Amino acid sequence: MTIRIAIGGLKKEVTERVTKEIGGDKVSVIVTSDFEAAKKIKSGQADYYFGACNSGGGAALSVPIGILGYSNCATVAKAGGKPKAEDIEKLVAGGKIAFGMAVESIEAAVPMLLHSLFKKHNLE
């Protein structure tokens, strides 16, 4: 199984690099706009969304919330804060599919997200 991750928002190239470095052959990455990414998830062409913005919860998730619904989206790292692996595990286990983060937290949050997704999908 390959987890299909759609990447949108700011600093897409950083999110893509970290996702590929950590995910290896367990992930396939689609870099696109937040709008197209959310549509791909809704249509079954992608499994998860990773997006970044300056705050972590505004522009990174506004379009996915509109398309996928608020209950499917979560901020994993706000500006000035640090992502917490245990919080991310709960969000993933709870069925969230779209994740927003502050640009400053991409390199910390993406590995935590991926490890939680690998655990959920028995890909560890």
Side-chain angles (χ1 to χ4, degrees), residues 1-5 18-28 48 50 89 92 110-124:
M1 174 189 180
T2 301
I3 299 173
R4 300 167 301 169
I5 299 172
V18 176
T19 301
K20 286 180 174 178
E21 283 174 6
I22 301 297
D25 62 358
K26 297 177 189 174
V27 299
S28 65
Y48 296 96
F50 294 174
E89 284 240 354
V92 168
V110 169
M112 291 179 195
L113 274 166
L114 289 171
H115 290 300
S116 293
L117 291 171
F118 296 159
K119 184 175 180 181
K120 178 177 182 170
H121 295 282
N122 297 312
L123 294 172
E124 291 182 294

Side-chain angles (χ1 to χ4, degrees), residues 76-99:
V76 295
K78 292 182 179 164
K82 297 218 181 292
K84 295 185 178 83
E86 58 274 10
D87 293 343
I88 291 173
E89 284 240 354
K90 288 177 190 166
L91 294 169
V92 168
K96 303 293 185 197
I97 56 175
F99 302 95

